[in-house]
Amino acid sequence: MEIEYIYSSGHRVWSDLQGRWIFTQPCCDHNLALEEYDLTLLPQQQVKLLIMPEEVLPHETPGLQLRQLLSRSEESMFPLLSRAAQVTTWSRDHNFCPRCGDALRHHHQDLAKQCDGCGLTQYPRLSPCIITLVTRGEYCILAQGVRFTEPRFSTLAGFIEAGESAEDALAREVREEVGVEVSNIRYHCSQSWPFPHSLMLGFFADYVSGEIVPEPGEIVDARWFHYSELDEAPIPPPFTISRQLIDEFVKRCRAGD
Ligand SMILES: [Zn+2]
């Protein structure tokens, strides 16, 4: 089977002038790779990640940011690109054992690093988050976070804290961010989100009570949207799980569910 290659350096997945980031031919001398990982996800597609020193990758290409790569890639390639980005960031940030301080080295079998000093094994970190569309009949709550780089209304989201179930985290986040209570929490789908290592768990939830009160310091604005407004509203792009939740809600409303 043909092996495909993905290259990265620093914290970025490398792309050429055409915006390609996965290659069937080597683009540089693989002997110079700092690290190499097997990223294979599907049995019919064998993929290697080579983390290169920056000066080795062809310089004439400025490279695209991860968000640009994701937005231009086929949806079926999203998991692989997300995986390459997360392993690159993790590898850069995990060079020493957090327990004893010795240098970490490649695990001989797993996608991991291990410490010869104390035996600790480090796997790429994942941070589970909930993301939810709160609905009430033909209306849903969307909010604008303070960290958004452009004016955009999105679903509510937050990290699951130690000891919480996903459902507990969802009810807490919704209460904190917009001050309403929810019930009937239903799982819909999940998505790996490489900024830098989240696993987004997508849910629908039914509104129960409370007036919307945006959380100071977190939410700039939050309000109810009728499903017919969403075609024109500044909502997230199609490759995001937030958009998938919104699109599913609109589809169900149109079908009269
Ligand atoms: Zn150690």
Side-chain angles (χ1 to χ4, degrees):
M1 193 196 313
E2 204 173 53
I3 298 176
E4 295 180 73
Y5 305 104
I6 301 174
Y7 301 93
S8 64
S9 66
H11 65 288
R12 281 174 69 161
V13 174
W14 183 78
S15 63
D16 70 5
L17 276 176
Q18 282 78 45
R20 287 177 302 197
W21 52 269
I22 183 162
F23 303 89
T24 50
Q25 299 293 324
C27 291
C28 55
D29 182 356
H30 288 190
N31 291 320
L32 300 173
L34 300 171
E35 294 182 54
E36 186 178 318
Y37 293 99
D38 181 5
L39 295 189
T40 303
L41 286 169
L42 302 168
Q44 66 273 24
Q45 187 182 27
Q46 199 180 344
V47 183
K48 276 189 177 168
L49 171 70
L50 292 111
I51 300 180
M52 308 299 297
E54 223 152 308
E55 62 276 12
V56 171
L57 292 169
H59 264 304
E60 67 273 20
T61 63
L64 296 175
Q65 297 288 345
L66 184 57
R67 261 175 218 276
Q68 294 172 306
L69 290 178
L70 286 169
S71 66
R72 291 173 183 213
S73 299
E74 300 259 332
E75 205 174 314
S76 62
M77 298 299 275
F78 195 109
L80 195 54
L81 180 54
S82 177
R83 181 165 163 86
Q86 290 185 61
V87 170
T88 296
T89 306
W90 164 77
S91 182
R92 180 199 63 177
D93 293 346
H94 291 79
N95 292 310
F96 297 96
C97 176
R99 185 193 281 157
C100 76
D102 274 8
L104 293 173
R105 66 169 180 81
H106 263 88
H107 194 280
H108 66 283
Q109 195 173 3
D110 296 345
L111 201 170
K113 294 186 181 188
Q114 69 182 42
C115 173
D116 289 336
C118 72
L120 190 76
T121 304
Q122 290 277 295
Y123 294 91
R125 180 175 166 188
L126 292 180
S127 299
C129 296
I130 60 86
I131 182 160
T132 185
L133 188 66
V134 177
T135 66
R136 183 186 197 181
E138 295 184 343
Y139 290 82
C140 66
I141 296 177
L142 297 178
Q144 198 177 335
V146 291
R147 286 184 285 273
F148 290 5
T149 51
E150 54 199 86
R152 176 181 290 170
F153 281 88
S154 185
T155 46
L156 304 172
F159 289 105
I160 300 175
E161 294 187 357
E164 277 185 325
S165 68
E167 291 82 356
D168 290 343
L170 188 153
R172 176 184 53 74
E173 284 289 347
V174 171
R175 192 179 301 123
E176 286 173 1
E177 292 193 345
V178 294
V180 308
E181 298 297 322
V182 295
S183 68
N184 193 21
I185 295 165
R186 288 101 65 203
Y187 175 73
H188 180 61
C189 62
S190 66
Q191 183 180 52
S192 169
W193 188 243
F195 300 99
H197 40 62
S198 296
L199 174 63
M200 310 302 291
L201 305 172
F203 293 86
F204 289 103
D206 291 349
Y207 167 85
V208 173
S209 62
E211 290 294 317
I212 292 179
V213 180
E215 182 182 11
E218 284 290 324
I219 304 292
V220 178
D221 191 11
R223 66 178 179 89
W224 290 104
F225 284 80
H226 189 261
Y227 80 89
S228 60
E229 289 178 81
L230 296 171
D231 277 345
E232 302 295 321
I235 56 176
F239 65 89
T240 61
I241 188 170
S242 177
R243 179 61 172 272
Q244 288 170 32
L245 288 164
I246 293 168
D247 286 352
E248 177 67 20
F249 167 67
V250 171
K251 194 175 90 184
R252 287 181 194 174
C253 287
R254 290 209 172 115
D257 281 3

